[in-house]
Amino acid sequence: MHKDSAKSDQNTKRLSIFSISVHPDGSRIATGGLDAKIRIWSTKPILNQAAELSGKPPKSLCTLTMHSGPVLVVRWAHSGRWLASGSDDQTVMVWDHDPNARGKVWGSDDVNVEGWKALKRLPGHDSDVVDLAWAPADRYLASVGLDSAVLIWCGYSLERLRKLDQHQGFVKGVCWDPVGEFLATQSDDRTVKIWKTTDWSLESEVTKPFEDSPGSTFFRRLSWSPDGAHITASNATNNKGYVFIAAVITRNTWTSEISLVGHENTVEVATYNPHIFLRNPASPISTSNICSVVALGADDRSISVWQTKSARPLIVAKEVFERQIMDLSWSLDGLTLYAASSDGTIAAFQFDATELEGIASQDDQEQYLAKFGFIAPPIPEGYSHTSKEEPKRAAPLQTNGFDSRGVSNGPEKVNVLVAKKKQPKRIGLGTPNAAAVPAARNPASSTNAAPKTNGIPPSTGPKRAALTQFNDSKPQSSSILSSRTNSFPEESEQPFGDPSETWSRRGDLPVGLPMDLDVPISSISAVSRGKRKVSLSAEDGGAKIRARTLGGDRPVEVHVAKEISSWTNAPPPSRSPGGNGSSTSNRSSEVLFTPLPLLTYLRTEIEGSGEVLEAKNREEDGTTELAFVDGKQTEWLDYLPSPVIALKATSGFCAVAMQDGSVNVYTPTGRRTMPTLSLGSQCSILEGSKQTLLVITTHGLIYSWNIKKQLANFSPISIQNLYGMSPNISLVSASVRDNGAPVLQCSNGIVYSYDSSLLAFTKLADRWWAEGSDSWPRQRGSNNSQSRGIIATIEVNVANSHDDQLSAAEKPRPNWWSPALTLGHLETRLLAAKALDSPQEYKQAMLMYAKKIADEGFRAKAEELTKELFGPVYWRPGREDNWCPTVAGFTKRDLLKDVLSIFARSKTLQSLASSWQDTLKKAVNDDPF
């Protein structure tokens, strides 16, 4: 392991490093950590002691400081031009080389030998960004985070394309299929989800063997094998959670029949070597003659490297670090593995070519992947990841202290900065000074001239710029065996005794597809930058045919909204709808809300996307136009029979409320996804979230629909039930949760929701708790909900709208006033978090509730809570019982472990906690009571 001899650890407190990534040319690594900084290092001083002692090149190259929170992930693009980072500050940053940004870092003693600038900030996540991954050829960038969302960004324009929100827990890992056909994500909801990249639909969901995986790990970083056949996922377990493994998931069947066993604690990260390896280097590449190398990093402070042709790991490096391994990254030559740890250090493992023999040539690897027959989507016109110029010859050049003629005992060579020459029509992203961009072997670029690599002729399949070959090989015959054998060892080869607890196989892997070496790919020519439409080559002479949109190329106009006094075809005054039990009140015919004004222009924007849904009510000719605009392009439009009074657009749908009391719902591409809804009275409030739509009419009827399922979340209910309690009550604001629950804040300081299972309105928050609850927010805060959960946001809004709680402490109160109100408030918060589907706030409220019980020493309440979370003593998974083992997405007995640890710190409850801890341990181990 490399040790930095230039610094002393005696007076330096090391901060955790969460991520590491190797530049494609091997000359640099990037790290991100707890100090909210990204650091770029030269690999030569790390791998070569003589270079380190000479100080040429310097070890530290650059420090980037624009993140405001810990940097949790850094990833170089395959082209080497860009670096992406994700942080605790909820943003993704993309960095580009900047030759003018060298010099001293402001506010620190760091000096940047080379400069990198923030190219673009990508907002969109509502919580920490935990992992990132670039798609093959850098076509897309995927980001995942603690908001349970997966965001897909264009790898060229860096615009957000899609939001995938089907995970029910923190998403902590993401990886791409090397073919480009699929995307895989791993979450604390104990699933691995496979997504199709053609339409971003869910291909499959893998739940085994993750049912008992712990949720306490920082990451669940997974990796796809370079041959596209397997995913190795971290944080899996066997034997009901007592054996820590990495699970190998097979392509197409999406089952995990193979386990990598040996680590003594949770596996945090799995990373495949980027190369396919030949079992027999003397034989041609085929499905029966290939294998892969994968590295695992775990919380037991050890790293293991496995080659799939062997049942035993190649190496096991135990206790390399003082704390758990956070991230792993292979160099592109496949011979160096870098690891980062939360103890603030990194390690580099170098392999000889004889230790990892059989590396397949890059051309062979490209040809092998072509067998899948997947054609990647075209590159956006006007964009390229190559620089404007490409070198005729990579001549040595001294820049920033880098010298290719320096000491080079290690296998990696620090690339010098070189000018690149390219055909003039290719337009590149980045800085105007192309000569300062680090040279990188770019798998994404395409050239008109087919280059040769080490004498190997290029393949006839899909082309990427050839990578440097690391061992010479001969051209392979196109007649390659198509039969597939399992890449992993048979049970008889298992070295751990009982094969069922090691790399166990419960079935054979499927036979692979026959290899096709002649898959064509269309060449994509670059045109002027900024045009977003895809150009397709026609068969008749290569003429360009542009895809059309419903709206054409008409220019986007700027409109000023004006109120319309009268409309030619205005509908008659709406009457109260009938046929609903909730509207049989004497007041049902009353108009509770003032009708919305009729305007000439309305618009709403999909958050974080730049896409706009707009409506134009033309008074002069009595027509109403609805249009969906993306940038300067009208994607679709529609004409409506009645003027529009309200709009709502989310990532899942577009909704339009009209003056005649009807509502239209469209998909993001403009297709009507539901029949026109006739509500009988005009819409007063139109809200939405993901796939949920909420409408409140002027007569006070509340509707809630799940657009994806095309179902109502509950029968329409009248808000008059709330208004009847007080003559002065009014609705301040309304919103809806993803699960369809409405959130109604009223002027009486109470926030309500409607529970369809109880057929009643329920209180989510009440300013009454300000009279004595210790957990009520005392300080006035910002209404910005991005950094808080929904319950915390609701309570802050209520607290900010009423000041009378400030005098509550001055009033004389009974002795048990504060404990009673605090417990009542926390119990209400628990139920509210459950109703609004806010798992983390539920767990937080549960632990606060347990602490209050422990502080007060209320044994009866502690025992009741313990019994509720434990359930029936002899309950087992799969047993039919009225008791539900989960709540708010958590296993009740997992919550009980945390609750009992709090009770154990109370002198009054210590014996109770100890007794139940023993009982819980027996239940988990299936021991007799």
Side-chain angles (χ1 to χ4, degrees):
M1 185 179 77
H2 169 77
K3 180 176 178 61
D4 192 346
S5 61
K7 295 184 179 180
S8 173
D9 293 336
Q10 296 178 357
N11 301 320
T12 303
K13 181 180 180 181
R14 295 195 304 242
L15 298 178
S16 296
I17 300 175
F18 295 122
S19 185
I20 188 169
S21 180
V22 189
H23 191 276
D25 68 5
S27 66
R28 297 156 178 80
I29 58 172
T31 59
L34 189 62
D35 58 359
K37 297 178 181 179
I38 301 166
R39 300 179 187 274
I40 299 176
W41 313 83
S42 172
T43 56
K44 194 168 187 178
I46 296 175
L47 301 175
N48 189 287
Q49 187 177 11
E52 180 188 9
L53 296 176
S54 68
K56 293 182 179 181
K59 182 181 296 183
S60 177
L61 300 180
C62 188
T63 302
L64 308 176
T65 59
M66 287 190 66
H67 279 296
S68 60
V71 180
L72 303 180
V73 57
V74 289
R75 293 290 182 261
W76 290 103
H78 299 296
S79 67
R81 291 180 55 83
W82 289 348
L83 173 67
S85 61
S87 168
D88 204 1
D89 62 11
Q90 306 178 11
T91 61
V92 177
M93 297 285 291
V94 178
W95 308 83
D96 192 9
H97 189 264
D98 182 8
N100 299 318
R102 292 175 290 173
K104 188 172 182 180
V105 180
W106 187 84
S108 73
D109 295 330
D110 295 327
V111 176
N112 287 342
V113 178
E114 66 180 27
W116 291 80
K117 67 179 180 181
L119 179 67
K120 192 169 184 181
R121 179 178 179 269
L122 308 181
H125 282 281
D126 296 327
S127 190
D128 307 6
V129 180
V130 176
D131 205 9
L132 297 166
W134 293 91
D138 296 332
R139 183 62 182 84
Y140 304 106
L141 172 65
S143 62
V144 300
L146 301 190
D147 57 356
S148 305
V150 182
L151 300 186
I152 309 299
W153 312 84
C154 176
Y156 292 84
S157 65
L158 299 180
E159 295 178 356
R160 197 176 88 176
L161 303 177
R162 205 60 179 256
K163 182 176 182 179
L164 311 177
D165 53 10
Q166 296 186 34
H167 275 294
Q168 303 300 315
F170 299 156
V171 188
K172 295 181 175 179
V174 60
C175 69
W176 292 90
D177 167 20
V179 179
E181 186 177 4
F182 298 109
L183 171 73
T185 56
Q186 189 171 0
S187 166
D188 274 356
D189 62 9
R190 296 181 170 86
T191 66
V192 171
K193 295 186 187 295
I194 315 298
W195 312 84
K196 293 181 180 178
T197 61
T198 51
D199 57 3
W200 306 111
S201 61
L202 185 63
E203 164 76 6
S204 183
E205 179 179 279
V206 184
T207 57
K208 293 182 180 181
F210 307 104
E211 303 98 324
D212 300 306
S213 65
S216 57
T217 56
F218 278 86
F219 306 107
R220 291 176 181 259
R221 287 176 166 154
L222 68 170
S223 183
W224 212 302
S225 63
D227 61 357
H230 303 95
I231 304 168
T232 295
S234 60
N235 202 348
T237 58
N238 282 341
N239 194 20
K240 298 184 178 180
Y242 284 91
V243 177
F244 301 101
I245 66 170
V248 180
I249 301 169
T250 304
R251 189 190 187 97
N252 295 330
T253 63
W254 309 120
T255 55
S256 176
E257 308 293 342
I258 302 165
S259 303
L260 307 183
V261 184
H263 283 283
E264 298 175 357
N265 208 332
T266 315
V267 178
E268 288 267 0
V269 54
T271 304
Y272 272 95
N273 188 298
H275 286 277
I276 293 176
F277 289 81
L278 301 179
R279 292 171 176 259
N280 182 1
S283 301
I285 184 171
S286 66
T287 52
S288 60
N289 189 40
I290 64 170
C291 61
S292 302
V293 172
V294 63
L296 308 178
D299 287 352
D300 60 2
R301 300 176 292 165
S302 66
I303 295 172
S304 60
V305 179
W306 307 74
Q307 194 163 25
T308 55
K309 69 179 182 180
S310 173
R312 297 180 180 273
L314 290 175
I315 66 163
V316 178
K318 292 187 175 181
E319 299 183 0
V320 175
F321 299 102
E322 297 174 4
R323 298 179 66 182
Q324 70 262 48
I325 285 83
M326 294 280 104
D327 203 7
L328 299 169
S329 181
W330 286 95
S331 60
L332 193 59
D333 67 0
L335 297 178
T336 306
L337 173 66
Y338 295 88
S341 169
S342 61
D343 67 5
T345 64
I346 65 171
F349 301 85
Q350 289 183 274
F351 296 85
D352 293 331
T354 56
E355 294 175 304
L356 295 178
E357 64 177 353
I359 294 180
S361 68
Q362 188 63 28
D363 274 354
D364 287 342
Q365 191 160 327
E366 296 290 338
Q367 291 175 353
Y368 183 84
L369 293 179
K371 79 185 181 90
F372 292 94
F374 179 76
I375 304 299
I379 297 172
E381 292 189 14
Y383 292 95
S384 172
H385 281 304
T386 60
S387 34
K388 295 180 181 179
E389 298 180 344
E390 245 181 49
K392 294 182 179 178
R393 183 190 304 178
L397 176 69
Q398 266 191 304
T399 306
N400 297 343
F402 290 83
D403 188 350
S404 64
R405 295 165 294 181
V407 180
S408 57
N409 295 334
E412 297 212 17
K413 174 182 176 182
V414 177
N415 283 21
V416 297
L417 303 181
V418 298
K420 305 184 78 175
K421 293 184 178 180
K422 187 68 175 175
Q423 294 183 6
K425 70 175 183 178
R426 178 71 71 181
I427 298 175
L429 291 177
T431 61
N433 186 359
V437 180
R441 294 182 294 271
N442 180 9
S445 60
S446 60
T447 58
N448 293 333
K452 293 185 178 182
T453 305
N454 285 358
I456 302 177
S459 67
T460 57
K463 291 299 178 192
R464 300 178 179 88
L467 302 180
T468 302
Q469 301 294 323
F470 296 102
N471 59 342
D472 294 332
S473 57
K474 299 180 180 179
Q476 306 295 345
S477 171
S478 60
S479 58
I480 296 180
L481 295 176
S482 61
S483 61
R484 178 176 183 81
T485 59
N486 180 21
S487 298
F488 290 87
E490 300 292 336
E491 291 185 25
S492 59
E493 300 177 67
Q494 303 299 334
F496 299 106
D498 183 3
S500 64
E501 296 183 1
T502 58
W503 286 27
S504 56
R505 301 183 67 244
R506 294 183 292 275
D508 295 331
L509 297 179
V511 175
L513 299 173
M515 183 177 296
D516 182 4
L517 300 184
D518 298 318
V519 179
I521 183 168
S522 301
S523 61
I524 302 169
S525 61
V527 296
S528 60
R529 180 175 176 180
K531 296 183 179 180
R532 300 170 55 86
K533 292 185 293 181
V534 179
S535 295
L536 303 177
S537 297
E539 294 180 1
D540 52 349
K544 298 291 183 70
I545 302 177
R546 291 190 174 185
R548 301 179 64 194
T549 62
L550 187 59
D553 295 327
R554 65 179 187 178
V556 177
E557 303 174 353
V558 178
H559 298 271
V560 178
K562 299 178 181 179
E563 189 167 353
I564 300 176
S565 57
S566 63
W567 187 260
T568 305
N569 301 319
S574 60
R575 293 177 294 176
S576 173
N580 188 289
S582 61
S583 59
T584 58
S585 167
N586 294 331
R587 300 177 58 196
S588 62
S589 61
E590 297 181 10
V591 176
L592 299 182
F593 303 106
T594 304
L596 296 173
L598 184 59
L599 304 175
T600 58
Y601 180 72
L602 300 90
R603 75 191 298 273
T604 182
E605 183 175 343
I606 299 179
E607 183 179 358
S609 69
E611 298 168 330
V612 174
L613 180 68
E614 61 181 23
K616 303 171 189 175
N617 298 314
R618 295 192 176 94
E619 191 175 10
E620 58 275 10
D621 59 4
T623 61
T624 297
E625 178 186 287
L626 179 71
F628 188 85
V629 180
D630 185 0
K632 297 182 179 180
Q633 175 73 43
T634 300
E635 298 294 335
W636 58 268
L637 55 79
D638 195 12
Y639 294 97
L640 304 176
S642 180
V644 173
I645 58 175
L647 300 171
K648 184 63 183 179
T650 72
S651 59
F653 67 88
C654 300
V656 184
M658 290 171 278
Q659 194 181 43
D660 63 359
S662 58
V663 175
N664 279 2
V665 183
Y666 303 84
T667 66
T669 58
R671 178 177 59 86
R672 282 177 170 82
T673 186
M674 294 176 66
T676 299
L677 306 172
S678 183
L679 307 183
S681 59
Q682 291 184 16
C683 168
S684 178
I685 295 175
L686 186 67
E687 288 292 335
S689 177
K690 295 184 180 179
Q691 295 290 344
T692 303
L693 174 64
L694 174 75
V695 173
I696 302 180
T697 66
T698 54
H699 285 84
L701 279 181
I702 304 174
Y703 296 85
S704 176
W705 296 280
N706 185 309
I707 302 301
K708 186 174 183 179
K709 296 180 180 179
Q710 300 191 20
L711 294 173
N713 293 310
F714 51 80
S715 298
I717 184 68
S718 177
I719 202 172
Q720 292 174 352
N721 297 340
L722 298 180
Y723 278 39
M725 296 182 292
S726 172
N728 299 321
I729 191 175
S730 62
L731 185 64
V732 176
S733 66
S735 61
V736 66
R737 293 288 287 169
D738 299 341
N739 63 353
V743 180
L744 311 172
Q745 182 175 353
C746 296
S747 58
N748 59 354
I750 302 176
V751 180
Y752 298 93
S753 185
Y754 182 76
D755 193 320
S756 58
S757 61
L758 300 177
L759 299 179
F761 284 98
T762 59
K763 292 183 178 181
L764 301 176
D766 193 337
R767 67 176 179 179
W768 160 252
W769 303 122
E771 296 290 326
S773 172
D774 296 338
S775 299
W776 185 260
R778 296 294 174 186
Q779 297 179 349
R780 296 178 65 86
S782 168
N783 289 334
N784 182 13
S785 61
Q786 292 185 355
S787 59
R788 293 190 299 266
I790 179 63
I791 305 300
T793 301
I794 290 172
E795 292 186 351
V796 168
N797 289 341
V798 173
N800 287 349
S801 61
H802 296 85
D803 296 326
D804 51 357
Q805 74 258 30
L806 299 177
S807 60
E810 303 173 0
K811 300 176 183 179
R813 300 298 188 186
N815 291 336
W816 294 101
W817 179 269
S818 179
L821 263 66
T822 301
L823 289 173
H825 173 217
L826 291 175
E827 289 163 356
T828 301
R829 187 182 287 180
L830 277 169
L831 297 171
K834 181 180 177 182
L836 300 187
D837 194 18
S838 182
Q840 296 308 312
E841 288 188 296
Y842 183 89
K843 183 175 182 179
Q844 182 186 32
M846 174 65 73
L847 299 181
M848 293 175 65
Y849 184 61
K851 187 176 186 304
K852 187 62 179 177
I853 292 175
D855 292 344
E856 298 294 339
F858 295 150
R859 184 181 179 91
K861 283 185 174 293
E863 193 165 4
E864 181 184 52
L865 177 63
T866 301
K867 289 180 178 179
E868 162 59 25
L869 294 177
F870 186 85
V873 174
Y874 292 102
W875 182 89
R876 295 293 182 273
R879 174 178 174 178
E880 293 294 333
D881 203 305
N882 292 330
W883 180 73
C884 180
T886 61
V887 60
F890 294 101
T891 302
K892 288 183 178 179
R893 289 184 176 179
D894 287 345
L895 288 175
L896 181 58
K897 293 179 183 178
D898 297 329
V899 170
L900 291 177
S901 66
I902 294 175
F903 288 166
R905 295 195 288 269
S906 170
K907 293 183 180 180
T908 308
L909 306 179
Q910 189 174 22
S911 59
L912 173 71
S914 179
S915 173
W916 277 102
Q917 283 174 333
D918 292 340
T919 303
L920 182 62
K921 186 175 181 180
K922 291 179 179 179
V924 172
N925 297 336
D926 284 338
D927 294 338
F929 291 96

